[in-house]
Amino acid sequence: MTVMPVWCQIYLFAFLAGAVSTLFDTPVFGRIARKFDFMDRPQANHKGHGRATPLLGGAAMFTGWLFCLAAGLAAAFFVQLPGFSEAVSAHLAGINSTLPQLGFLVLGAFLAVLLGLVDDKYALSAAAKFGGQFLIALLAVGLGGVRVNIFFTNPVLVWGASVFWLMLLMNSINFFDNMDGLAVGTITIAMGFFCVIAALNNQYFIAALAAMSCGVTAGFWYYNTSPAMIFMGDSGSHFLGYLAAVISAGVSWFGIDYSLSRFPILMPLFILALPLFDTGMVVLIRTCRGKPFWIGDHNHISHRFVRMGLSRRQAVLLVHLMALCVGLGILPVFWGDFRTAAILVAQAFLFLLVVSILQFALSDRQDTREKVQPDETKEKKP
């Protein structure tokens, strides 16, 4: 019987640690939210939940993530375990050199959660929200060293693209968080793909960070599935968007020593295609209708699946299956030659074209508020 390679064991342990952390701390934050009345209450808006729900899921995920990150770094530097220590010790110098940047990235994650919490509590204006996101993105790029993979060397272009990527994903996940479990499940799937690609690249730290983040979101996902016991709120969507942007930028998608074409540079766009595409479609629809693009409505693809007759659970499951299909379909682009990569990229584009048709197929129907499905009214036991 073969033994799992050491680094694969580390990734598995990081995933399990992240999952356990949020499985344990999420109910605690739910009780804190009830005690201090940090609740999302039903009202006449685009939301469809039928009861008051705790709104500190983002704080729960960030706390679990931060605890696991600190514990992992402490274990790397101070814990001696046969096999593990030998594998990690060779990279301690590299980890140590990146600690200052990591500190700023953690600060950016904290500020993203804080911005979301303030918005959850006081409903910030769109300008204030975008301004906060811009400052957080500048911090991550300027001091955290986040750089997106593009074929430009001009520092201004690279900085601009990196800041745009961070802001785009924070807003996309914010927009995409419109049904129980939808956004967190999609990001869990994306983090799994980021971990696989980073592991294939021998980017051990990024792969471990992605695995841990995947575990954190998976643990929270349990409580956020329909009917949700707790919402992530804007704090959670900002945190997940920030994490997805930072980790996807940290993965090396293209290298002349392993890439047989330049198509792999498109892979993060496809792995995160569903929230990005959905955001683009709803912004286009709202703009064409003369509505502010930042005001929520029922033009998301998940809502359209409900209008087609699916329950909310089925709509969310279908979106997750679509995310898996796109991600798995694009994965071989990483090691395929030009012809293979070109075919797979074309296939992914055609799949997204189908998504676009679904987005617009029901756009003329009345935009009514969906009623809570009968299977979503039961309390879930922690």
Side-chain angles (χ1 to χ4, degrees), residues 49-309:
H49 61 290
R51 55 186 170 82
T53 306
L55 200 57
L56 286 179
M61 285 189 286
F62 174 72
T63 302
W65 180 82
L66 184 61
F67 172 79
C68 289
L69 180 62
L73 289 173
F77 283 99
F78 304 113
V79 177
Q80 298 294 319
L81 292 174
F84 288 85
S85 297
E86 290 82 353
V88 174
S89 60
H91 304 278
L92 285 181
I95 295 175
N96 193 55
S97 66
T98 59
L99 283 179
Q101 289 183 332
L102 179 62
F104 286 114
L105 291 179
V106 171
L107 176 60
F110 169 74
L111 292 176
V113 173
L114 182 62
L115 177 65
L117 286 173
V118 174
D119 187 42
D120 288 330
K121 191 68 175 178
Y122 301 107
L124 295 173
S125 67
K129 199 169 177 180
F130 290 145
Q133 293 169 352
F134 180 69
L135 293 177
I136 292 168
L138 280 181
L139 173 68
V141 174
L143 299 176
V146 175
R147 299 289 187 276
V148 297
N149 289 279
I150 57 176
F151 296 114
F152 299 105
T153 57
N154 186 303
V156 176
L157 290 177
V158 174
W159 268 58
S162 302
V163 170
F164 175 77
W165 181 241
L166 278 151
M167 293 187 66
L168 175 63
L169 277 175
M170 281 191 280
N171 283 289
S172 292
I173 304 306
N174 191 3
F175 284 13
F176 203 61
D177 182 30
N178 54 72
M179 283 191 183
D180 294 347
L182 180 64
V184 70
T186 303
I187 292 299
T188 301
I189 293 168
M191 288 297 177
F193 284 118
F194 294 153
C195 178
V196 169
I197 296 298
L200 291 174
N201 269 343
N202 294 324
Q203 292 180 275
Y204 303 114
F205 182 71
I206 291 293
L209 185 62
M212 184 191 75
S213 301
C214 183
V216 166
T217 54
F220 178 77
W221 192 1
Y222 171 77
Y223 297 105
N224 193 235
T225 53
S226 178
M229 296 179 61
I230 186 170
F231 290 159
M232 71 168 70
D234 276 17
S235 62
S237 61
H238 277 69
F239 175 61
L240 294 187
Y242 177 89
L243 267 189
V246 168
I247 292 177
S248 63
V251 177
S252 295
W253 301 97
F254 174 82
I256 58 174
D257 53 338
Y258 56 81
S259 297
L260 300 179
S261 72
R262 293 197 171 192
F263 284 112
I265 203 73
L266 300 174
M267 290 182 67
L269 294 176
F270 285 108
I271 290 173
L272 295 165
L274 268 297
L276 291 173
F277 228 66
D278 185 69
T279 297
M281 292 299 104
V282 296
V283 166
L284 181 59
I285 291 171
R286 293 169 189 172
T287 302
C288 290
R289 293 180 175 179
K291 298 179 180 179
F293 70 86
W294 57 85
I295 301 298
D297 56 24
H298 280 170
N299 284 313
H300 295 276
I301 190 171
S302 52
H303 294 122
R304 298 185 186 284
F305 285 156
V306 171
R307 294 181 197 179
M308 290 178 180

